[in-house]
């Protein structure tokens, strides 16, 4: 399941960066950059957890970036992906409920970053 979450790293980073460039205002661009920083930390944590569990760094096929046809489509896509990621993380946290404190706390940190990103995405819907 961790590998599934990491398959979108490339396309997420590219799309969020793209959306920050085409955003309708400087405020929106700033929020996208905050999301991008959070997403990068998110993927760093995922890789770290994967390494701790498997003793090797993950090797995953990356999803191909597809430029959205509009800013609104890109925003909707990121919102949908964040919701889907939250569900995956909740499932992982339930599976790791009795794992070490390190794994439980790491997954909670990743989940909290998703909540933060969701909040920023809700603000972006106002623009």
């Amino acid at each position: 399941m961790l590998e599934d979450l990491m398959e979108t790293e490339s396309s997420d980073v590219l799309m969020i960066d793209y959306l920050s460039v085409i955003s309708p205002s400087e405020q929106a661009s700033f929020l996208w950059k905050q999301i991008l920083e959070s997403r990068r930390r998110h993927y760093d944590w995922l890789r770290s957890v994967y390494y701790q569990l498997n003793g090797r760094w993950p090797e995953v096929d990356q999803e191909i970036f597809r430029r959205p046809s509009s800013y609104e489509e890109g925003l909707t896509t990121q919102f949908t992906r964040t919701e889907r990621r939250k569900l995956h993380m909740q499932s992982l946290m339930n599976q790791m409920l009795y794992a070490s404190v390190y794994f439980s706390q790491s997954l909670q940190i990743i989940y909290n970053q998703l909540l933060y990103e969701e909040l920023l995405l809700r603000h972006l819907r106002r623009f």
Side-chain angles (χ1 to χ4, degrees), residues 19-36:
L19 293 169
S20 76
V21 171
I22 66 164
S23 60
S25 70
E26 285 185 39
Q27 289 175 315
S29 179
F30 176 79
L31 292 175
W32 282 115
K33 289 175 184 172
Q34 297 302 305
I35 291 171
L36 183 57

Side-chain angles (χ1 to χ4, degrees), residues 8 12 16 23-24 37 53 61 63 71 75 77 86-87 90-91 97 99 109-110 112 114:
T8 59
D12 275 349
I16 293 167
S23 60
E37 287 178 28
L53 284 170
D61 292 329
E63 181 180 286
Y71 176 81
L75 177 58
T77 298
K86 280 178 37 188
L87 292 173
Q90 287 171 338
S91 176
L97 193 57
I109 288 168
I110 296 167
N112 289 343
L114 287 169

Side-chain angles (χ1 to χ4, degrees), residues 16-91:
I16 293 167
D17 187 48
Y18 175 74
L19 293 169
S20 76
V21 171
I22 66 164
S23 60
S25 70
E26 285 185 39
Q27 289 175 315
S29 179
F30 176 79
L31 292 175
W32 282 115
K33 289 175 184 172
Q34 297 302 305
I35 291 171
L36 183 57
E37 287 178 28
S38 175
R39 192 66 55 96
R40 285 182 173 149
R41 282 190 304 272
H42 169 99
Y43 283 114
D44 286 345
W45 274 100
L46 283 173
R47 276 191 294 280
S48 177
V49 168
Y50 185 93
Y51 182 82
Q52 294 297 321
L53 284 170
N54 298 297
R56 62 182 171 80
W57 296 106
E59 295 179 23
V60 295
D61 292 329
Q62 289 294 311
E63 181 180 286
I64 295 172
F65 169 66
R66 289 180 177 78
R67 185 170 37 149
S69 60
S70 67
Y71 176 81
E72 291 76 22
E73 179 189 343
L75 177 58
T76 300
T77 298
Q78 283 304 306
F79 207 94
T80 301
R81 282 186 178 182
T82 300
E83 288 297 313
R84 189 172 49 229
R85 294 178 86 67
K86 280 178 37 188
L87 292 173
H88 278 102
M89 287 305 302
Q90 287 171 338
S91 176

